[in-house]
Amino acid sequence: AIRKLVKQVLRSNNYNYVSMDTAHTIEINTIAPGHIFLSSSRIQIKESQLNWYTSFNDPEDEESLHRWNWLLHLASEKICPSSRLQWMLDMQEDWIECFQKEIQLSSLKLDNLLRWESYTVGERIANSILFYICKDIIPSKLVQKALVEQVQFLFTRLEYFGTRTGNHVFNNARAIYLAGVYFQCESWRRVAVTIFHRELPLLVTPDGFLREGSSHYQFLFTRWVLEILFFVEAVYDDQLKSFLIPYAQNLLQ
């Protein structure tokens, strides 16, 4: 049913979104951090640039780099001046210049690229939007266009695997919902809400435990639900709010 809904949205081009105008900003000298933290290591910043092609022993570190998790780490530091924020935006544009064109590759080739795994794409979208909202930033048209393309890409690669479907598809939907709110695209939100209603009862037990029994994912999953609720409040979606709050309360408990 969800795949049918996705096909309807994509076939009809029914994803009218709002592209925001970037305010004119004064040119400033960007200040790069000395390093950024990844999953199990940190990467040094040389000559104010991220090396996107760094080799890692742990694939989780490569995924963390391309998920842009470091955006939220840096943004949450006690001191994050505008020069640092601009560097972060510049690195997003740099990534897009390096990799966005790969979105046109065949599925077979994309399957071998960690940066285009559905979970990683969803994290990249969600981390970007959380960053913009929390810091009251409007990204460039280049970045906006790339994120919209990645949302559309994610629609075609939702992580449904029959009986092996886990929590990842809920995270896919979280990214789509956040993007639907940020870009004011109601049809994206509708698909995400459909997934929420289907998957939450399957993923969370009545007493609030994530079915997969992972304390790590219990923490992550609870965070996802709370982030969705934050965006639900922004669009006054009382129906979805009423559905999510009992799950949020049980997960927190």
Side-chain angles (χ1 to χ4, degrees):
I2 291 168
R3 285 178 175 140
K4 183 178 180 181
L5 180 59
V6 167
K7 287 178 181 177
Q8 288 173 351
V9 171
L10 296 178
R11 190 184 301 120
S12 64
N13 290 328
N14 185 24
Y15 41 80
N16 296 321
Y17 66 93
V18 175
S19 177
M20 289 151 285
D21 291 327
T22 306
H24 176 70
T25 56
I26 300 172
E27 290 292 328
I28 58 174
N29 292 323
T30 61
I31 299 178
H35 58 266
I36 60 170
F37 288 100
L38 301 176
S39 289
S40 63
S41 65
R42 65 181 186 176
I43 182 172
Q44 299 295 322
I45 309 298
K46 297 180 180 179
E47 298 180 358
S48 297
Q49 288 293 119
L50 272 170
N51 180 6
W52 302 110
Y53 300 97
T54 302
S55 296
F56 299 100
N57 293 325
D58 186 347
E60 287 283 348
D61 285 323
E62 180 180 346
E63 290 168 344
S64 179
L65 177 65
H66 291 281
R67 289 171 184 172
W68 299 350
N69 293 332
W70 45 270
L71 284 176
L72 300 186
H73 293 164
L74 292 175
S76 64
E77 289 182 350
K78 192 170 183 179
I79 299 176
C80 188
S82 57
S83 54
R84 176 66 50 76
L85 295 176
Q86 187 58 53
W87 179 85
M88 293 153 74
L89 291 167
D90 289 348
M91 289 306 97
Q92 286 189 299
E93 292 198 8
D94 187 54
W95 189 97
I96 289 163
E97 294 288 352
C98 290
F99 303 116
Q100 187 70 18
K101 56 183 176 292
E102 292 177 340
I103 209 168
Q104 304 298 331
L105 293 174
S106 68
S107 293
L108 189 61
K109 290 181 178 178
L110 286 169
D111 287 342
N112 294 317
L113 297 174
L114 292 179
R115 56 185 168 267
W116 288 108
E117 286 182 341
S118 298
Y119 188 93
T120 293
V121 174
E123 285 286 287
R124 194 157 55 234
I125 294 165
N127 287 330
S128 297
I129 292 170
L130 287 165
F131 169 51
Y132 304 146
I133 290 291
C134 291
K135 291 299 182 181
D136 194 22
I137 290 172
I138 297 177
S140 67
K141 294 287 188 180
L142 174 71
V143 175
Q144 290 183 52
K145 181 175 181 293
L147 290 176
V148 168
E149 288 179 351
Q150 291 184 40
V151 172
Q152 295 164 336
F153 173 83
L154 189 55
F155 269 125
T156 67
R157 295 171 73 90
L158 293 174
E159 294 181 82
Y160 272 114
F161 305 111
T163 57
R164 294 183 294 111
T165 298
N167 64 69
H168 280 204
V169 75
F170 185 89
N171 194 39
N172 301 161
R174 174 186 68 123
I176 291 169
Y177 188 85
L178 268 56
V181 173
Y182 189 71
F183 290 106
Q184 300 176 43
C185 184
E186 194 276 333
S187 63
W188 292 354
R189 285 166 44 201
R190 188 168 64 250
V191 174
V193 169
T194 305
I195 294 173
F196 296 155
H197 277 278
R198 172 178 168 76
E199 297 305 320
L200 262 177
L202 299 175
L203 290 168
V204 180
T205 65
D207 52 354
F209 279 95
L210 191 64
R211 182 194 65 192
E212 296 166 14
S214 162
S215 57
H216 174 71
Y217 265 107
Q218 180 82 19
F219 180 85
L220 284 178
F221 195 90
T222 303
R223 176 193 143 192
W224 298 344
V225 173
L226 294 176
E227 287 171 351
I228 294 164
L229 271 169
F230 178 83
F231 282 77
V232 165
E233 294 271 8
V235 291
Y236 306 104
D237 189 341
D238 291 336
Q239 189 173 6
L240 181 57
K241 181 179 177 180
S242 297
F243 173 71
L244 290 176
I245 281 181
Y247 286 98
Q249 291 172 334
N250 289 339
L251 285 162
L252 283 166
Q253 183 63 34

